[in-house]
């Protein structure tokens, strides 16, 4: 008898649900082992994380604050993945969006007008889209590997923002710290219920709904699904693959840019060095974990927001917040390993 | 510019190019077997940290190097298990390796930030050769890891093109079904070279923390793993061209550093962007060239292999 | 029975949902060419794949030279002297002939001694009439030469039992002749040769004995000299073969497709079409015959807009549609049934419903502006499923779960539903069983009755002669002639497929 993998005729909803859930649980277990080995009590660390992320109204609101950029980036990344385009550049697109929004805000320091925030949104979306267009155009016209180009542009975008916050836009009253002056209050996104949860949550939820309907009931969404699954069939059906790649990169980059705008306009209220603790990278995992479904993406982003907030709170007991990335990496490993169960079934095969 | 500055810059070029070269060579071997490993950055960081810690504990950089090789290979083993045995998506798995490696090195590296190590790889002049005018001080007053990288290039090229294991390696990356039908162990070959790729990435990382800048800095690879992945395409999967490409990037790095040192009035942020932008430009040319000359990637690169059991 | 090179006993092999081999017994003697005959799906390739170590039998025994063996992998099979040459060659295109031949072999162990290897290959080649340059790269070779490399690979490893899976499908008649003389030489040298085929004429020509399989079971083993094609055909299909399709006399109308001096390149950048000219009229089926790889694929792709022309014109209903986008061609009501049903014609992971609107989604009433009209699409899809008898559990079922015949019906349903003026069908019945084949033929003929112009590209001469009104033969990207199928013999068509031009018949076409 030997254990063999057999291709599944059709996917099982139970397995499709269980694999991601068990992946997260096992990853937390392995994380516990790492915490234990580095001389801390995993129970204490996880309780700290849990209460830091979901333990109070304030904790939950902070988790949602972190989830907003994650949602926006992951929706964009997921849409690109759906077209089998690997946009690894959400981080850079977020920075460029933040930069452009910051530019608008700093240009109108006294601005109280109703149009300031919409203008920042447009600027943020466009800058992210433009940053996404570079790998998009290179991919669509010359078939240059978009994974590498989009990723390298992250480094460029971060250096670009650094140049401004260390240089021309540095706050003269900031004791030399790398940040700009605060934006005028007209450039701040409104917040809800006295928490830091800002209007960005509405952008994110709205984006999720739009992408859901885009994929389900529009011509563009139909083309994206066909191109992603079988580009040769898409060509055969007369679809314009070049145009679709460009559109997807615009939306994908634009959403990440909007995330950057929301982050600086809703939370930080100025530009600074290190705006994002890697939202763009975490978004890749969220998109994969939610199986590229926009509604699931929102929920998974909240979970990962919690993981980030929890990660900060474990610093209070002396653990590094890098732990969170270790756990994220393990989640992704387990998810990939578990994926095979959604495509194959294990069965015993005898030899007579 | 006088000759000494030219020599110093070119010597720095080799130093800056060596980690790229080692990582690129490793990735070439893995990709020749059909396995795309986007986890270079993560494997390099783990190699850099583990080598550094072990060297700190033992005061012996060679022991550090061995551990870096091993830890790079261990991380690569995760990638191999996921992509070869479990046929997972190679792109996502590679990203997970990078994420995991970056996180793990950041997490465990907290304790050695800013710690000096007692002993590290320093330049050793090779008697005789170092006296060759101009080239001698550039090529032969380097640390032992650089000399190792000189040897690796022809060795790997010979292995790939002239030996039976090399033939099997190329066959597995081009057409695993054909290789399998003739009894080549496709999975074995893919595991082996993914591990070799990981070990070389670990070595590249150790070069950074044990020779280039002998301290531990979080994220000290600074995107070199990604540059190496682009260099593989630039090199069209050939070790000698990898050498050329790596030193070209080393030169960009060295010149940029020199310009900063003499205070050229370009903000350092823009100079720091040059390697990333240069990689993108190189990638564009490499891609259009390979398409034009029809010497593409290994045909089965990125594709899981599964023996056909059709109905 | 003493000289049995191979004896297989009671071989059973199940695949999900199919019993591919049902207690099959099979014997091959040394020094004979043994044909394994049967329809597509009869289990011939499966049986031989078990012998070659690619599949493992669920039950049954294998003896080689009267010794029981356990073959678990291709490597085991080669050790036992069994070598199989597959229909799809397992060659590495970027490697040389010599590298392909030595791949996976264990001598020499480490260094590749090219000179010695190349010499050995040439010696074996001369002995069996398999000459090929050992230094050439595979992609530089013709299909016939590539097949020689595959055979050499096995001979170099000392294979004594050679299995060839449908080796003639990709060859010209002349290459077939050369292959057959090689097979004879191998048999005379004491090898056992198994020749898998479904072509009666070839089997009669080359084999000493014939084993017939039908639906996974062995039907008979006969000496070739004691049988005849009629008997074999009956054994293969279980009934007399009728290729008498009811067809009204042709009443060609206006010219729908006009191709003038068309030139195009293949994927490799070599000339694939070299000045093709032909016309297809409304209400007729023009068949294109030819050995695979002579420009048929490129011709279909240029017409449908998937491949640019390098010269010449494609006119559809008088409009110049040379090198326009596929979308433009679709809008002119051109239907295209591609050769590759799974890779091009459908999207496996999307639903039956999604696949049924692949060509129509962008026009009203399927969509209006940005949005799809989901309700209309659903009604449309369910009416197509009913009308074309596509067997599927639901409209949401993934297309990849449909059987070959159902998938082809799905494609036909979609392509026919736009009431095409021109229909291009490439190998529309390949791999389908008899009833699915008949339904495809019926649908093509229905479209002909409705006044569509049909360009039918096929390798199956029986199919082409049965349903085409006119038959064009293509060879190396040129039309060798256009004939009326009833007025020429298969031999004449065969000569044209091998490159002999038919000037006379071509000129008579001009008057029609």
């Amino acid at each position: 008898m030997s254990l063999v993998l057999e291709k599944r005729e059709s996917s099982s909803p139970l397995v499709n649900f269980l694999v991601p859930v068990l992946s997260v649980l096992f990853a937390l277990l392995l994380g516990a082992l790492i915490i234990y080995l580095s001389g801390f009590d995993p129970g204490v660390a996880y309780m700290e994380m849990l209460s830091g992320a979901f333990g109070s109204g304030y904790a939950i609101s902070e988790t949602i604050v972190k989830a907003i950029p994650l949602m926006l980036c992951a929706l964009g990344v997921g849409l690109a993945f759906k077209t089998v385009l690997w946009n690894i550049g959400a981080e850079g697109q977020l920075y460029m969006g933040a930069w452009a929004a910051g530019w608008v805000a700093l240009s109108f320091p006294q601005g109280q007008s109703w149009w300031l925030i919409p203008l920042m949104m447009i600027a943020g979306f466009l800058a992210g889209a433009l940053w996404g267009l570079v790998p998009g155009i290179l991919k669509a016209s010359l078939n240059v590997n978009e994974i590498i180009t989009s990723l390298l542009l992250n480094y460029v975008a971060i250096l670009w923002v650094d140049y401004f916050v260390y240089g021309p836009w540095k706050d003269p009253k900031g004791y030399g710290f790398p940040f700009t002056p605060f934006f005028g209050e007209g450039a701040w996104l409104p917040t809800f219920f006295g928490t830091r949860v800002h209007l960005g949550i509405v952008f994110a939820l709205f984006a999720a709904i739009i992408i859901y309907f885009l994929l389900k009931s529009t011509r563009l969404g139909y083309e994206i699904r066909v191109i992603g699954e079988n580009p040769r069939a898409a060509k055969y059906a007369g679809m314009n693959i070049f145009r679709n790649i460009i559109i997807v990169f615009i939306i994908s980059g634009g959403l990440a840019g909007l995330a950057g705008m929301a982050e600086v306009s809703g939370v930080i209220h100025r530009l600074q060095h290190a705006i994002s603790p890697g939202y763009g990278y975490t978004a890749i995992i969220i998109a994969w974990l939610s199986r590229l479904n926009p509604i699931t993406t929102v929920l998974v982003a909240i979970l990962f927001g919690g993981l980030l907030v929890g990660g900060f709170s474990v610093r209070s007991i002396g653990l590094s917040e890098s732990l969170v990335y270790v756990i994220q990496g393990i989640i992704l490993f387990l998810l990939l390993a578990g994926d095979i169960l959604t495509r194959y079934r294990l069965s015993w095969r005898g030899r007579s | 510019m006088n000759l000494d500055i030219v020599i110093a810059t070119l010597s720095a070029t080799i130093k800056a190019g060596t980690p790229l070269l080692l990582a690129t060579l490793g990735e070439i071997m893995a990709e020749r077997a059909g396995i795309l490993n986007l986890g270079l950055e993560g494997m390099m960081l783990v190699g850099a940290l583990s080598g550094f810690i072990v060297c700190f504990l033992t005061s012996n950089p060679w022991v550090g190097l061995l551990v870096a090789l091993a830890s790079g290979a261990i991380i690569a083993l995760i990638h191999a298990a996921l992509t070869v045995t479990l046929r997972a998506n190679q792109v996502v798995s590679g990203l997970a390796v990078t994420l995991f490696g970056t996180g793990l090195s950041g997490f465990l590296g907290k304790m050695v930030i800013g710690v000096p190590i007692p002993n590290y790889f320093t330049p050793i002049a090779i008697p005789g050769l170092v006296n060759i005018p101009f080239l001698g001080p550039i090529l032969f007053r380097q640390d032992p890891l650089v000399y190792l990288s000189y040897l690796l290039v022809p060795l790997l090229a010979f292995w790939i093109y002239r030996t039976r294991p090399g033939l099997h390696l190329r066959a597995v990356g081009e057409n695993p079904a054909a290789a399998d039908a003739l009894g080549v162990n496709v999975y074995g070959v893919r595991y082996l070279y993914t591990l070799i790729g990981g070990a070389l990435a670990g070595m590249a990382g150790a070069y950074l923390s044990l020779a280039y800048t002998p301290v531990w800095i979080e994220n000290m690879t600074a995107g070199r793993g990604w540059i190496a992945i682009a260099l593989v395409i630039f090199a069209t999967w050939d070790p000698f061209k990898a050498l050329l490409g790596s030193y070209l990037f080393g030169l960009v790095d060295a010149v940029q550093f020199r310009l900063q040192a003499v205070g050229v009035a370009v903000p350092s942020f823009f100079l720091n962007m040059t390697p990333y932008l240069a990689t993108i430009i190189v990638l564009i040319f490499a891609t259009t060239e390979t398409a034009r000359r029809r010497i593409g990637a290994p045909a089965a690169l990125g594709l899981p292999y599964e023996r056909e059991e059709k109905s | 029975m003493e000289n049995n090179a191979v004896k297989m006993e009671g071989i059973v092999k199940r695949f999900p949902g199919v019993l591919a081999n049902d207690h099959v017994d099979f014997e091959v003697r040394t020094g004979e060419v043994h044909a394994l005959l049967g329809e597509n799906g009869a289990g011939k390739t499966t049986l031989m794949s078990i012998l070659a170590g690619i599949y493992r039998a669920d039950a049954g025994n294998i003896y080689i030279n009267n010794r029981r063996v356990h073959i678990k992998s291709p490597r085991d099979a080669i050790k036992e002297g069994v070598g199989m040459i597959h229909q799809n060659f397992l060659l590495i295109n970027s490697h040389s002939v010599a590298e392909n031949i030595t791949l996976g072999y264990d001598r020499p162990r480490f260094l590749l001694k090219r000179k010695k290897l190349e010499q050995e290959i040439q010696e074996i080649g001369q002995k069996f009439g398999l000459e090929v340059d050992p230094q050439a790269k595979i992609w530089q070779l013709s299909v016939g030469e590539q097949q020689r490399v595959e055979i050499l690979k096995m001979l170099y490893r000392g294979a004594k039992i050679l299995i060839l899976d449908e080796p003639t499908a990709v060859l010209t008649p002349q290459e077939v002749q050369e292959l057959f003389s090689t097979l004879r030489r191998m048999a005379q040298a004491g090898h056992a040769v198994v020749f898998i085929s479904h072509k009666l004429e070839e089997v009669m020509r080359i084999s000493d004995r014939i084993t017939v399989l039908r639906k996974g079971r062995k039907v008979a083993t006969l000496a070739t000299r004691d049988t005849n094609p009629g008997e074999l055909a009956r054994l293969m299909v279980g009934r007399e073969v009728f290729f008498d399709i009811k067809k009204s006399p042709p009443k060609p109308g206006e010219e729908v497709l006009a191709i003038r001096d068309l030139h195009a390149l293949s994927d490799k950048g070599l000339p694939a079409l070299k000045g093709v000219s032909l016309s297809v009229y409304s209400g007729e089926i023009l068949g294109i015959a030819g050995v695979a790889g002579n420009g048929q694929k490129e011709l279909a792709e240029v017409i449908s807009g998937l491949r640019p022309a390098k010269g010449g014109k494609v006119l559809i209903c008088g409009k110049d549609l040379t090198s326009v986008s596929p979308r433009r061609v679709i809008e002119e009501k051109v239907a295209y049934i591609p050769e590759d049903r799974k890779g091009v014609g459908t999207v496996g992971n999307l639903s039956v419903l999604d696949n049924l609107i692949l060509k129509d989604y962008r026009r009203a009433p399927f969509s209006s502006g940005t949005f799809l009209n989901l309700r209309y699409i659903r009604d449309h899809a369910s009416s197509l499923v009913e009308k074309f008898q596509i067997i599927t559990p639901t409209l949401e079922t993934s297309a990849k779960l449909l059987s070959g015949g159902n998938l082809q019906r799905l494609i036909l349903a979609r392509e026919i539903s736009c009431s095409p003026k021109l229909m291009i069908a490439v190998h529309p019945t390949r791999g389908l069983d008899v009833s699915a084949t008949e339904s495809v033929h019926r649908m093509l003929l229905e479209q002909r009755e409705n006044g569509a112009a049909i360009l039918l590209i096929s390798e199956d001469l029986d199919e082409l002669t049965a349903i085409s009104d006119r038959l064009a033969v293509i060879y190396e990207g040129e039309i060798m002639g256009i004939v009326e199928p009833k007025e020429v013999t298969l031999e004449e068509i065969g000569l044209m497929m091998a490159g002999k031009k038919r000037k006379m018949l071509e000129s008579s076409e001009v008057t029609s």
Side-chain angles (χ1 to χ4, degrees):
Chain A
M1 298 280 272
S2 63
L3 201 59
V4 294
L5 291 167
E6 272 179 10
K7 257 206 172 103
R8 280 180 190 275
E9 297 271 305
S10 58
S11 63
S12 140
L14 181 68
V15 172
N16 283 351
F17 171 76
L18 276 181
V19 164
V21 171
L22 290 178
S23 297
V24 173
L25 289 180
F26 275 117
L28 291 174
L29 270 179
L30 284 171
L33 188 69
I34 293 175
I35 296 168
Y36 177 75
L37 290 177
S38 49
F40 292 89
D41 181 341
V44 172
Y46 279 150
M47 278 316 291
E48 194 66 35
M49 276 177 88
L50 192 66
S51 67
F54 299 104
S56 63
Y58 171 75
I60 292 172
S61 78
E62 280 303 292
T63 292
I64 290 176
V65 169
K66 293 284 175 221
I68 291 168
L70 290 175
M71 283 177 202
L72 285 165
C73 290
L75 287 167
V77 168
L79 186 70
F81 284 178
K82 198 97 193 165
T83 331
V84 197
L85 295 170
W86 301 97
N87 177 13
I88 313 296
E91 184 81 355
Q93 291 145 15
L94 179 147
Y95 268 86
M96 292 316 280
W99 173 82
W103 182 42
V104 172
L106 294 169
S107 307
F108 302 99
Q110 308 305 325
Q112 294 291 340
S113 314
W114 60 269
W115 47 260
L116 185 56
I117 283 178
L119 190 65
M120 286 168 72
M121 286 171 66
I122 292 167
F125 186 94
L126 283 182
L130 219 61
W131 213 241
L133 260 181
V134 177
I137 289 176
L138 290 175
K139 170 74 179 183
S141 58
L142 300 170
N143 200 26
V144 177
N145 187 325
E146 78 282 10
I147 299 171
I148 299 173
T149 47
S150 64
L151 187 117
L152 289 170
L153 284 173
N154 289 344
Y155 292 94
V156 177
I158 292 168
L159 286 165
W160 177 256
V161 172
D162 276 353
Y163 164 70
F164 285 93
V165 299
Y166 280 95
W169 293 357
K170 187 161 70 178
D171 186 357
K173 290 174 285 207
Y175 306 101
F177 283 106
F179 46 65
T180 66
F182 279 115
F183 303 157
E185 288 202 18
W188 294 19
L189 283 178
T191 54
F192 302 114
F193 319 118
T195 65
R196 297 208 300 159
V197 176
H198 52 82
L199 195 63
I201 185 72
V202 178
F203 305 166
L205 295 177
F206 201 57
I209 293 166
I210 287 181
I211 289 185
Y212 177 80
F213 281 106
L214 176 86
L215 288 173
K216 188 174 142 67
S217 55
T218 68
R219 274 169 54 172
L220 176 65
Y222 179 75
E223 292 191 357
I224 286 174
R225 287 187 288 138
V226 172
I227 292 171
E229 293 289 349
N230 185 348
R232 288 167 67 207
K235 260 191 193 158
Y236 158 74
M239 295 176 185
N240 185 336
I241 294 182
F242 180 93
R243 197 193 62 163
N244 277 290
I245 290 178
I246 299 293
I247 293 177
V248 165
F249 263 104
I250 288 177
I251 299 176
S252 187
L255 287 175
L258 194 60
M261 176 271 166
E263 194 65 8
V264 292
S265 166
V267 182
I268 309 174
H269 301 138
R270 62 179 168 202
L271 278 182
Q272 63 180 37
H273 171 70
I275 301 160
S276 153
Y279 291 131
Y281 299 107
T282 307
I284 297 165
I285 308 176
I286 296 171
W288 194 258
L289 200 64
S290 53
R291 308 217 175 268
L292 319 181
N293 174 327
I295 305 305
T296 323
T297 302
V298 169
L299 300 175
V300 178
I302 292 173
L303 179 74
F304 273 73
L307 208 52
L308 270 178
V309 174
F312 285 118
S313 51
V314 293
R315 286 206 293 201
S316 66
I317 58 167
L319 272 163
S320 159
E321 77 272 18
S322 294
L323 177 67
V324 173
Y325 298 103
V326 178
I327 293 175
Q328 286 180 7
I330 298 175
I331 291 177
L332 205 44
F333 284 143
L334 291 172
L335 190 66
L336 285 165
D339 254 356
I340 197 161
L341 296 176
T342 64
R343 288 180 287 137
Y344 299 83
R345 81 174 88 238
L346 281 170
S347 69
W348 293 97
R349 182 180 290 180
R351 268 188 51 83
S352 48
Chain B
M1 215 190 252
N2 68 35
L3 195 63
D4 283 349
I5 292 182
V6 174
I7 288 176
T9 307
L10 291 179
S11 172
T13 295
I14 301 227
K15 286 190 179 70
T18 298
L20 294 173
L21 175 60
L22 291 168
T24 305
L25 290 174
E27 184 70 12
I28 284 176
M29 299 312 273
E31 290 193 15
R32 281 275 186 182
I35 298 294
L36 174 71
N37 190 346
L38 297 182
L40 277 188
E41 188 84 359
M43 298 188 300
M44 283 171 78
L45 281 167
V46 169
L49 178 72
S50 60
F52 185 83
I53 291 178
V54 169
C55 179
F56 173 72
L57 296 174
T58 63
S59 307
N60 186 336
W62 290 100
V63 181
L65 175 67
L66 282 180
V67 171
L69 285 166
S71 53
I74 289 169
I75 305 282
L77 182 64
I78 302 175
H79 185 64
L82 285 173
T83 58
V84 180
T85 306
L86 298 177
R87 298 157 205 163
N89 183 305
Q90 295 185 9
V91 173
V92 181
S93 173
L95 288 172
V97 167
T98 287
L99 201 71
F100 176 75
T102 311
L104 192 68
S105 66
F107 179 70
L108 299 176
K110 274 282 187 283
M111 40 188 164
V112 289
I113 286 179
V115 174
I117 39 172
N119 201 353
Y120 49 87
F121 291 111
T122 48
I124 301 166
I126 295 186
L129 291 175
V130 76
N131 297 327
I132 302 172
F134 189 64
L135 287 181
I138 296 171
L139 295 176
F140 300 111
R141 187 174 288 137
Q142 298 283 3
D143 58 75
L145 295 188
V146 173
Y147 300 136
L148 269 178
S149 74
Y150 293 165
L151 294 179
L152 264 174
V153 172
L155 191 79
L156 292 181
F158 182 79
W159 185 267
I160 292 172
Y161 299 115
R162 291 294 157 112
T163 70
R164 178 168 299 280
L167 173 64
H168 290 180
L169 162 65
R170 284 182 286 139
V172 164
E174 291 286 345
N175 189 341
D180 188 23
L182 293 175
V184 176
N185 181 350
V186 174
Y187 290 178
V189 167
R190 289 193 158 180
Y191 263 92
L192 175 68
Y193 289 100
T194 308
L195 294 195
I196 290 176
L200 286 173
M203 182 172 173
Y207 183 83
L208 290 173
S209 67
L210 297 179
Y212 196 61
T213 45
V215 284
W216 167 250
I217 307 162
E218 233 180 281
N219 269 323
M220 70 188 301
T221 47
R224 286 185 179 84
W226 295 103
I227 294 177
I229 285 165
L231 276 173
V232 172
I233 300 170
F234 172 80
T236 60
W237 295 267
D238 177 87
F240 284 104
K241 289 192 207 130
L243 181 96
L244 182 76
S246 302
Y247 289 169
L248 218 58
F249 271 88
L251 184 67
V252 172
D253 221 29
V255 168
Q256 178 237 95
F257 195 74
R258 173 118 343 237
L259 286 178
Q260 279 188 41
V262 299
V264 172
V266 183
S268 62
F269 303 101
F270 293 113
L271 288 172
N272 284 330
M273 284 178 196
T274 48
Y276 307 112
L277 294 173
T279 308
I280 292 174
I281 291 163
V282 163
L283 193 61
I284 294 168
F285 282 111
T287 308
T288 48
E289 266 302 283
T290 47
R292 196 175 61 75
R293 285 182 293 163
R294 292 168 207 287
I295 41 155
L301 181 62
L303 304 174
Y305 176 63
E306 162 179 11
R307 212 175 255 176
E308 195 76 0
E309 276 265 334
K310 55 188 174 189
S311 48
Chain C
M1 82 138 272
E2 270 52 65
N3 59 353
N4 268 349
V6 177
K7 184 175 169 197
M8 301 175 83
E9 253 179 18
I11 300 295
V12 177
K13 177 69 189 175
R14 277 186 202 88
F15 290 119
V18 194
L19 186 55
N21 287 153
D22 184 2
H23 296 90
V24 178
D25 299 329
F26 182 63
E27 293 171 6
V28 191
R29 293 175 194 153
T30 46
E32 76 167 345
V33 177
H34 193 126
L36 191 53
L37 183 69
E39 282 198 299
N40 283 330
K44 304 172 303 241
T45 304
T46 306
L47 183 68
M48 288 300 102
S49 296
I50 289 168
L51 182 58
I54 294 161
Y55 298 148
R56 281 207 238 170
D58 296 325
N61 299 321
I62 302 174
Y63 301 86
I64 287 180
N65 298 322
N66 300 321
R67 191 171 50 81
R68 175 137 187 228
V69 293
H70 296 280
I71 295 174
K72 295 191 190 105
S73 69
R75 174 167 263 189
D76 288 352
I78 291 167
K79 273 195 200 124
E80 298 294 345
V82 177
M84 182 157 172
I85 289 99
H86 298 269
Q87 229 172 330
N88 302 322
F89 301 150
L90 287 169
L91 293 170
I92 297 167
N93 287 326
S94 54
H95 289 190
S96 73
V97 169
E99 283 178 324
N100 269 281
I101 289 173
T102 192
L103 178 64
Y105 202 49
D106 48 8
R107 272 172 311 171
R109 256 213 115 67
F110 185 68
L111 289 179
L112 298 172
K113 293 170 184 147
R114 277 163 207 261
K115 282 265 147 40
K116 185 160 165 278
L117 175 65
E118 283 162 8
Q119 201 191 335
E120 285 169 356
I121 290 167
Q122 264 164 343
E123 278 165 19
I124 302 173
Q126 274 157 14
K127 185 169 161 200
F128 293 104
L130 290 163
E131 267 137 280
V132 54
D133 173 11
Q135 293 182 345
K137 301 262 193 264
I138 297 299
W139 61 265
Q140 297 169 318
L141 302 181
S142 72
V143 178
E145 286 172 309
Q146 292 184 8
Q147 188 176 61
R148 280 180 225 161
V149 178
E150 283 284 23
I151 298 172
L152 279 169
K153 227 155 79 170
M154 293 306 154
L155 291 173
Y156 182 76
R157 267 149 241 267
K160 290 284 177 197
I161 300 150
L162 283 122
I163 305 160
L164 293 99
D165 191 358
E166 308 243 358
T168 60
V170 291
L171 301 181
T172 64
Q174 282 66 27
E175 284 174 322
V176 169
Q177 194 49 51
E178 286 168 27
L179 173 70
F180 281 2
S181 86
T182 296
L183 297 187
R184 271 283 143 235
R185 284 206 226 180
M186 292 198 295
Q188 272 155 19
H191 292 66
V193 179
V194 180
F195 180 85
I196 302 176
S197 180
H198 64 258
K199 295 180 184 164
L200 300 174
E201 174 263 343
E202 285 178 355
V203 164
M204 292 300 296
R205 243 169 87 197
I206 183 65
S207 67
D208 300 306
R209 291 197 302 158
I210 300 166
T211 293
V212 184
L213 293 187
R214 185 169 76 226
K215 291 181 179 163
R217 294 207 186 123
K218 179 173 124 171
V219 184
T221 299
L222 309 154
T224 309
R225 61 174 178 278
D226 298 337
T227 184
N228 59 61
E231 183 186 17
L232 291 174
R234 206 170 49 246
L235 290 169
M236 250 168 86
V237 297
R239 57 179 166 86
E240 292 291 344
V241 203
F242 286 108
F243 251 115
D244 190 21
I245 290 172
K246 281 193 205 95
K247 201 174 89 173
S248 60
K251 34 181 187 304
E254 64 195 64
E255 187 181 53
V256 175
L257 172 69
I259 292 175
R260 298 287 172 258
D261 192 30
L262 193 64
H263 290 258
L265 301 180
S266 70
D267 289 338
K268 284 183 182 162
L270 304 170
L273 296 178
K274 305 167 191 164
V276 170
S277 295
L278 49 82
S279 300
V280 191
Y281 298 90
S282 136
E284 76 157 356
I285 297 179
L286 175 72
I288 303 264
V291 175
N294 275 291
Q296 296 96 318
K297 177 177 151 226
E298 287 82 1
L299 178 62
E301 288 181 355
V302 172
I303 301 171
S304 55
L306 288 166
R307 184 181 292 273
K310 278 283 157 191
K313 288 230 170 305
V314 177
L315 303 162
I316 294 170
C317 295
K319 282 185 207 161
D320 186 351
L321 293 181
T322 319
S323 302
V324 297
S325 71
R327 179 170 174 180
R328 194 61 198 85
V329 178
I330 293 167
E331 283 166 358
E332 290 301 321
K333 291 191 180 279
V334 175
Y336 176 26
I337 296 155
E339 176 180 1
D340 186 350
R341 293 194 274 272
K342 289 184 173 163
V344 175
T346 54
V347 187
N349 281 334
L350 295 190
S351 65
V352 169
L353 181 131
D354 280 335
N355 274 286
L356 280 168
I357 59 164
L358 197 57
K359 290 286 183 69
D360 295 314
Y361 72 95
R362 63 170 78 81
R363 65 181 175 89
F366 294 87
S367 64
S368 46
T370 315
F371 292 96
L372 295 173
N373 188 347
L374 293 176
R375 183 173 302 162
Y376 179 82
I377 288 171
R378 173 163 292 274
D379 292 346
H380 174 78
S382 40
S383 78
L384 286 184
V385 164
E386 198 171 326
K387 187 170 158 209
F388 288 87
Q389 295 165 357
I390 303 164
I391 298 161
T392 172
T394 67
L395 289 176
E396 274 68 38
T397 305
S398 298
K400 68 178 172 202
L401 298 175
L402 299 189
S403 71
N406 269 312
L407 201 63
Q408 191 67 314
R409 273 196 282 271
L410 185 158
I411 294 174
L412 278 160
R414 181 183 71 211
E415 298 300 314
I416 289 173
S417 70
C418 75
S419 31
K421 287 192 285 192
L422 170 67
M423 186 158 206
I424 307 158
V426 187
H427 306 309
T429 60
R430 183 187 272 174
L432 301 187
D433 61 22
V434 177
S435 75
T437 300
E438 276 173 9
S439 79
V440 170
H441 287 162
R442 208 176 46 243
M443 285 185 222
L444 289 178
L445 288 169
E446 259 172 43
Q447 287 309 299
R448 170 179 173 269
E449 290 297 308
N450 293 345
I454 296 170
L455 185 72
L456 171 66
I457 295 177
S458 173
E459 279 164 25
D460 186 338
L461 278 184
D462 293 333
E463 170 174 281
L464 283 169
T465 49
I467 70 170
S468 322
D469 298 307
R470 290 185 302 141
L471 190 59
V473 182
I474 193 166
Y475 172 77
E476 294 205 331
E478 289 180 73
I479 299 291
M480 294 291 109
I482 299 178
V483 297
E484 294 229 5
K486 289 194 191 70
E487 290 171 7
V488 286
T489 60
L490 283 181
E491 281 66 32
E492 285 174 285
I493 298 175
L495 280 172
M496 289 161 74
M497 284 167 67
K500 190 164 178 219
K501 267 213 169 114
R502 272 311 179 90
K503 282 279 181 240
M504 185 195 72
L505 285 162
E506 196 170 26
S507 62
S508 82
E509 186 263 330
V510 177
T511 60
S512 76

